[in-house]
Amino acid sequence: MTEQVIYQSPLMYRILRDGDGLVIEVVVGGIAMSSVRVRLTEDEALAYERDGSRASDKLANAIMASPRFGGRSYPGSS
């Protein structure tokens, strides 16, 4: 599956586009840092398209606060 980085944030996350839509990959943790990915829902993707980094910053902060993100997260690339 080919993916394209469409936004790289200084807040330690990035937005990716793959064949199925948008994914956010967020660095989480303290001493043992790792990354998790969450596929954006249609509403989240629309919010990102409309509001850009303001919407993705809010989403990334919510994932950092709760990396399981309601069971929606899966391991990232690191």
Side-chain angles (χ1 to χ4, degrees):
M1 176 186 322
T2 304
E3 57 187 29
Q4 173 189 14
V5 176
I6 59 172
Y7 179 68
Q8 178 73 49
S9 170
L11 297 178
M12 300 182 70
Y13 75 87
R14 61 190 184 158
I15 302 290
L16 310 162
R17 184 180 309 276
D18 65 14
D20 297 323
L22 296 178
V23 174
I24 187 169
E25 182 176 56
V26 182
V27 176
V28 297
I31 295 171
M33 298 176 83
S34 62
S35 66
V36 296
R37 289 183 174 197
V38 173
R39 180 158 306 281
L40 274 61
T41 64
E42 184 177 341
D43 287 343
E44 291 163 343
L46 289 171
Y48 175 73
E49 297 293 338
R50 181 184 62 240
D51 300 329
S53 64
R54 192 173 78 206
S56 58
D57 285 355
K58 183 177 177 182
L59 185 58
N61 284 321
I63 294 168
M64 287 176 198
S66 180
R68 289 190 34 81
F69 204 60
R72 290 177 52 199
S73 69
Y74 57 96
S77 61
S78 64

